[in-house]
Each structure stands twice: as C-alpha cells, then as structure tokens.
Amino acid sequence: MQKKIAIMQPTFLPWLGFFSLIDTVDEFIFFDNVQFEKRSWQQRNKIRTYGSEIWVSVPVSSKGKRSQKIKDAEIIYEGQRSALDKIVSTIEVNYRKAPFYQYYVDEIASIFAQKPKYISDLNQNLIEWACKKLQIDTPFVKSSSLNVSGSKSDLLVNICKLQMSRHYISPPGSKVYLDESTAFQDAEISITYFNYKHPKYKQMHGEFVPYMCVLDLLFNAGPESGAIMRLGNS
C-alpha cells in the first residue's frame, strides 16, 4: 500500500476539513518554511457568536518582514493583557454555556498561556492537541526540518520523494496551480484531491453555521466530535 501524505501550512485553530485531511493520510507535513501571509488563516479563524460569527486573530510582527517564513513569524505581546489572553476571554464569552466547554477550556488556556514566540509553534500545539481530542494519531513532520529545496510543485514533489511517498493528498484549492506543472506526473507521484462535506451538528446560538474553527465542534459535541468530523469524509 502506498504511503499517503499531505502537506499544509500550520493554520490557527483550523476547521474540520483540515483535521479530516490529517486523519486520512499516513503522515502530515507542517509546511512551515514558506512565506507567511498577513490576515490569512495562518493567524486567524472564526468562532460562533450569538449574532453569527466573528474572527479571532493572533497579532504577528510583519513590518519590514514581507518575505518572512511562517516558522519565523513572531507573535506580538504587548501590555499586561496579551492578545492571546483576549482570545481566551472571547472564547469564554461565546462558549461558556456550551455543553462541553468545561471539558476543554483549561487545556486550551494552558496552551495559550505558554506564550510561544512564533505563530507556527502556537498553531502546531493547538492542532496536535485537537487531534488527540478527535482520536487522530497521524504522525507530524515539519518541512523546515527536512533538507529539501525547490518552489511550488517541485518543492512538494521533493518532500514526497524524501518521505518515500508516492501518493499526495491535496486540498481542492491547490488544483489550479498543481495542474499547471508536470512535476508530480514526471516523478510518478499520484495526486488525490480531498473533498470534504461539512457535517451538521447541534450548535449553540441558533441556526447551524458551518466552517467554524475546531473548538466549535469540541465545545458542542465533546467526545462525539471525532465521529462527527468523520461523517464529512468523501
């Protein structure tokens, strides 16, 4: 059986499809040595509110650092009450009445309280924690720890080769630029595009709103979260 891998940037509190992709592969690569993008999923995500939804964002130092890589992007900590403290408070305000909020809040708060220097470390810590709660045991590797070079499709192919994978699982959003290259075809590495159908679950605050961060599922569904997430696998 071919080893399947996925290669994705470490994003902030990702949605369910991100975790389902991790659950599908044999190895997941945190793509942390590519350029950091301001106001992207790398530093923010959505939570459900009484009205609809809001963004929660981690401030990152970017002035004069247009070409910095994700692994080098530093979180900004200012004042006695940091932005991470404010995120924890925002989560509390909107989820404290959720059925399983108390199951997870202390562990989440402790991750934020570590105040890591880099956004990639915060994101990876949160992703690995959520994977444990969703019963996902896929191993992780940082791309920055691998001795590979190249750009775009060539870089992805070189990572696959180094990790001895002949089957790359990609989110559908990457299809356009992957189709522009013959790198995977030339290397005889197959590509499968992972499509995820968002499942519905009992959610606070009225009518169901999809594509929230993973905390929304955990706070609302608790131990059933992993089973609910897998309902969207295709």
Side-chain angles (χ1 to χ4, degrees), residues 50-145:
Y50 292 96
S52 178
E53 61 191 55
I54 60 169
W55 291 97
V56 286
S57 301
V58 180
V60 172
S61 177
S62 58
K63 188 175 182 180
K65 303 176 181 179
R66 291 182 60 185
S67 61
Q68 71 175 332
K69 299 187 186 307
I70 297 172
K71 68 180 182 66
D72 300 319
E74 298 182 15
I75 298 172
I76 298 174
Y77 294 101
E78 293 180 344
Q80 293 182 339
R81 190 165 180 261
S82 73
L84 299 192
D85 295 329
K86 294 176 183 177
I87 289 174
V88 172
S89 295
T90 301
I91 290 170
E92 178 185 10
V93 167
N94 289 283
Y95 287 108
R96 60 190 170 197
K97 294 183 180 179
F100 297 96
Y101 173 78
Q102 295 297 336
Y103 278 55
Y104 305 114
V105 63
D106 289 343
E107 293 179 22
I108 295 166
S110 69
I111 294 173
F112 282 104
Q114 293 170 18
K115 295 186 177 179
K117 183 176 182 180
Y118 301 105
I119 187 68
S120 61
D121 291 333
L122 174 64
N123 291 350
Q124 290 167 41
N125 290 342
L126 289 167
I127 290 168
E128 291 183 19
W129 170 83
C131 280
K132 292 178 182 177
K133 304 307 172 185
L134 296 169
Q135 295 89 48
I136 298 173
D137 58 5
T138 303
F140 296 100
V141 176
K142 294 181 181 182
S143 62
S144 59
S145 71

Side-chain angles (χ1 to χ4, degrees), residues 159-223:
I159 292 174
C160 288
K161 287 180 177 178
L162 183 64
Q163 299 305 101
M164 297 184 291
S165 171
R166 312 302 299 180
H167 192 174
Y168 177 60
I169 312 297
S170 171
S174 301
K175 190 176 190 303
V176 174
Y177 88 82
L178 289 179
D179 284 353
E180 294 175 349
S181 170
T182 62
F184 279 90
Q185 182 180 348
D186 295 342
E188 298 183 341
I189 297 173
S190 62
I191 302 177
T192 298
Y193 292 99
F194 182 74
N195 293 302
Y196 186 76
K197 185 177 180 180
H198 202 300
K200 287 187 176 182
Y201 51 88
K202 189 174 181 180
Q203 188 183 59
M204 292 181 65
H205 311 317
E207 186 176 348
F208 181 77
V209 177
Y211 308 112
M212 299 297 100
C213 78
V214 67
L215 295 183
D216 187 79
L217 174 64
L218 289 168
F219 288 150
N220 283 292

